[in-house]
Amino acid sequence: MDYQKILEEIHQEVLPLLDKGKVADYIPELANVDAGKFGIYLLTLEDNAYAVGDVHEKFSIQSISKVFMLALTISHLGEKVYERVDVEPSGDPFNSLVQLEHECGIPRNPFINSGALVITDMMISSFEDPRTEFLEYVRDLVGNSGIYCNMKVAGSEKQHGFKNAAMVNLMKSFGNIENDVEEVLDLYFEFCSIEMTCSELARAFRVFANHGRGVIDTKKYITESQFKRITAIMQTCGFYDEAGEFAFRVGLPGKSGVGGGIAAILPDEYSIVTWSPGLNKKGNSLAGMKALELFTTKTGTSIF
């Protein structure tokens, strides 16, 4: 299959969408990103790479980092993680307070903001230096020591993160946050501010396509059982209240972020990453969603 030709066709087909989405301006630092940027990067387990567009430009991965947070935490704590975070699709916006109060401070899943805040709290309780531990984990997944948080973006999120602060305080009132709320928030904002390129993200997600086994090293990052569960949560909860739409149109487990990135996998085959900063009303990349729909349609590949 001529993947390069397919990616080039997709690029041409999504070009009219690049000015239709809305950049995440509620985080002021992200409002400065050029909405015309677009990249798509495909990486197979055999190390064949195909790319079009801005695939080597760093961007804020935002909620995509929640996959790495869950993987690291579950590799240390196992099934205990799911005693404090559920695994159900939310059906509500990623920052909903109503659902969280109704369900007594137990987040619906680890990929909405409240769930990732609880995971962050677990990391603080479990690791002596969670900040370093997490960055090293992501760097190992990518095979690149040059992965960093953008502290300007983290600071921008903190200045305007009122709903996140409300969520963590609400969960603290229900006893589902153990540590200082400011410490949890600061670390959470930093983790979301990690910057990566499409090619780097594809390398990290290829480990998940390989069932949690390293491709460039011999590490076992997560067990087969943990891989199965994380992949299932990506499929059902990776796109906020648009997860069903993504499953319907694309048919791959994946995770989006409001920085415009989407990372997805076909287990045993490939990882694929798109970046286009213009978002739809649900907070997912407008052109990225369409690009991945076109990709699985043109290649006939999906988990279904």
Side-chain angles (χ1 to χ4, degrees):
M1 196 176 300
D2 191 342
Y3 284 124
Q4 187 61 39
K5 182 170 180 282
I6 289 169
L7 294 189
E8 287 167 6
E9 287 175 3
I10 290 168
H11 186 205
Q12 291 305 309
E13 289 182 54
V14 301
L15 279 176
L17 296 177
L18 298 188
D19 61 351
K20 301 287 193 299
K22 187 173 186 289
V23 174
D25 54 5
Y26 65 91
I27 301 171
E29 277 296 317
L30 296 186
N32 301 323
V33 179
D34 180 0
K37 294 288 183 180
F38 177 84
I40 183 166
Y41 193 97
L42 172 69
L43 183 62
T44 69
L45 288 189
E46 292 78 31
D47 210 33
N48 298 313
Y50 309 88
V52 171
D54 305 300
V55 295
H56 299 299
E57 185 170 335
K58 298 267 190 185
F59 63 92
S60 185
I61 71 169
Q62 291 294 309
S63 286
I64 298 173
S65 67
K66 293 170 182 173
V67 177
F68 306 139
M69 292 161 64
L70 177 62
L72 174 59
T73 306
I74 203 173
S75 70
H76 279 71
L77 298 179
E79 296 295 301
K80 285 196 297 184
V81 167
Y82 301 121
E83 293 171 9
R84 293 175 57 191
V85 183
D86 209 342
V87 294
E88 293 293 333
S90 66
D92 281 323
F94 55 82
N95 56 2
S96 172
L97 282 160
V98 177
Q99 191 175 64
L100 190 58
E101 181 165 28
H102 180 66
E103 295 176 354
C104 302
I106 303 293
R108 272 291 175 99
N109 65 70
F111 293 160
I112 53 175
N113 292 19
S114 55
L117 285 161
V118 172
I119 296 293
T120 305
D121 183 61
M122 292 184 201
M123 293 170 76
I124 293 170
S125 297
S126 302
F127 301 120
E128 191 173 323
D129 184 357
R131 183 176 281 101
T132 300
E133 190 87 23
F134 182 65
L135 264 180
E136 288 303 317
Y137 183 78
V138 176
R139 288 166 178 167
D140 286 348
L141 285 171
V142 180
N144 181 355
S145 60
I147 306 294
Y148 296 98
C149 301
N150 183 324
M151 297 309 291
K152 274 190 175 181
V153 173
S156 185
E157 292 195 58
K158 185 177 182 180
Q159 281 184 323
H160 297 84
F162 306 116
K163 270 204 168 181
N164 288 312
M167 276 185 270
V168 77
N169 278 285
L170 181 61
M171 291 187 292
K172 181 85 168 175
S173 75
F174 282 108
N176 201 19
I177 294 290
E178 296 173 352
N179 297 282
D180 177 73
V181 294
E182 289 301 322
E183 186 181 3
V184 173
L185 284 166
D186 284 351
L187 203 58
Y188 170 75
F189 292 139
E190 283 186 38
F191 290 165
C192 287
S193 76
I194 283 180
E195 289 188 325
M196 295 168 75
T197 66
C198 290
S199 61
E200 288 166 346
L201 255 182
R203 287 175 75 84
F205 265 74
R206 187 171 58 163
V207 173
F208 299 106
N210 199 35
H211 293 244
R213 297 186 299 270
V215 182
I216 56 174
D217 57 33
T218 57
K219 286 185 183 179
K220 182 76 173 171
Y221 287 88
I222 48 176
T223 67
E224 186 68 29
S225 173
Q226 290 164 352
F227 155 78
K228 184 178 81 171
R229 283 162 170 72
I230 290 174
T231 307
I233 300 169
M234 279 199 278
Q235 185 67 60
T236 58
C237 308
F239 295 83
Y240 314 121
D241 48 334
E242 202 174 16
E245 186 77 8
F246 190 81
F248 181 76
R249 298 195 177 280
V250 180
L252 297 175
K255 184 74 192 82
S256 63
V258 295
I262 298 175
I265 61 169
L266 180 61
D268 301 312
E269 295 289 339
Y270 61 71
S271 59
I272 186 165
V273 173
T274 64
W275 174 48
S276 179
L279 308 179
N280 63 20
K281 290 180 180 178
K282 300 294 178 95
N284 295 312
S285 172
L286 183 66
M289 294 275 282
K290 185 62 178 178
L292 290 173
E293 178 187 350
L294 289 168
F295 179 80
T296 55
T297 300
K298 287 173 182 287
T299 60
T301 59
S302 84
I303 64 167
F304 301 113

